[in-house]
Amino acid sequence: MDSSATTPVFCTIVPPHVLDRLARADDAALSATARRTLEHDARERTRRQLNTVLGPVGGAPAAAPSDRPARTIYDAGHQDALPGREVRAEGAQPTADDSANRAYDALGATFETYLNAYGRHSIDGEGLPLKASVHYLRDYNNAFWNGEQMVFGDGDGRIFLDFTLPLDVIGHELTHGVTQYTANLDYQGQSGALNESVSDVFGSLVKQYALGQTADQADWLIGAGLLAPGVNGKALRSMKEPGTAYDDPQLGKDPQPASMSGYVTTSQDNSGVHLNSGIPNRAFYLAAAAIGGHAWEQAGQVWYDTLTGGTLSAHAQFADFAAATVGAAVARYGEGVQSRAVRAAWTEVGVTPAATGLPRQQPGQQPQEV
Ligand SMILES: [Zn+2]
């Protein structure tokens, strides 16, 4: 991986295929709102591709990062200029604006999960200040991390509600930042679907950590509470049962595959990064369910080690990632319930861990069977 510069991912939590469908709705107001969101996102995506953001650069080591987050929340005032007017700084009392307070709390919950579960200080591991803008544009049906900050729309109130509502959405977007500073998985094809999946995994784990849930208590949904009343669906995605999150006349049916037999080949959405992520998502769910207990502890640790271990190529395919998770499980826990659960999970979704590129061999250790 090139550590001198990283390309930030421009991920909107509502993927283009959902908005495409809404843009074709018979209802003129609905389709106009979706079209505006799509056009905005396409412009932003192009702009991001023309820029790279400097990653961590060498130099004198900074002071030890704080165990407290450094949050600032802004109100974009329904405009597109970022970040907007500062409304709540770190340590300040809640404001009268629920969206601003939710964003503040969610940034804190994400910071806390990464710190307490994995010892990571913020997105970059060095205490990066966390910024978020709420009330971005009007009726904007999305939320995103732009490489530097979080941005939330209010939703149109008909299909989507306020994007600060689901904690896992915020955990998802901030995890794109973590990936940007670590494995930097290329946002295209299978490595892009892995980038997406890693964001869903840790987004869900942030929520599970905040709620104190075990793997069997968690809903394993991404974006629960985001769909407006009357929309036939429970969330944007289901990690446990990809393809079942919604089935609605306006939104269409959740198109995510649950295993390799349903792998989608498409040129849209960076070759289906939000579609095929269903496959590694389910692998994580299966591994976590088989291991049991709190998913952020052992299963989450294995995925975190995989992401941050430095052995994963930016162009890793599913089979490479699978092999790396097995290697990470063995490296941390030895051969046992964890490595067996991880192997079985990948087998269940139709991915055979790659035979090459086994990570983390200890000196003198024999290569492990995968
Ligand atoms: Zn994403």
Side-chain angles (χ1 to χ4, degrees), residues 181-233:
Y181 280 96
T182 55
N184 198 26
L185 289 158
D186 186 40
Y187 204 57
Q188 182 73 34
Q190 288 197 11
S191 55
L194 289 166
N195 191 320
E196 266 307 305
S197 174
V198 162
S199 273
D200 279 351
V201 163
F202 290 100
S204 183
L205 292 181
V206 166
K207 176 169 137 179
Q208 293 177 35
Y209 183 89
L211 296 173
Q213 292 176 327
T214 56
D216 62 340
Q217 292 166 338
D219 62 16
W220 295 98
L221 296 170
I222 302 298
L226 185 60
L227 299 177
V231 175
N232 189 29

Side-chain angles (χ1 to χ4, degrees), residues 9 11-13 172-173 176 187 195-196 199-200 237 274:
V9 158
C11 165
T12 54
I13 193 71
H172 173 109
E173 292 297 341
H176 280 306
Y187 204 57
N195 191 320
E196 266 307 305
S199 273
D200 279 351
R237 291 186 282 282
H274 291 91

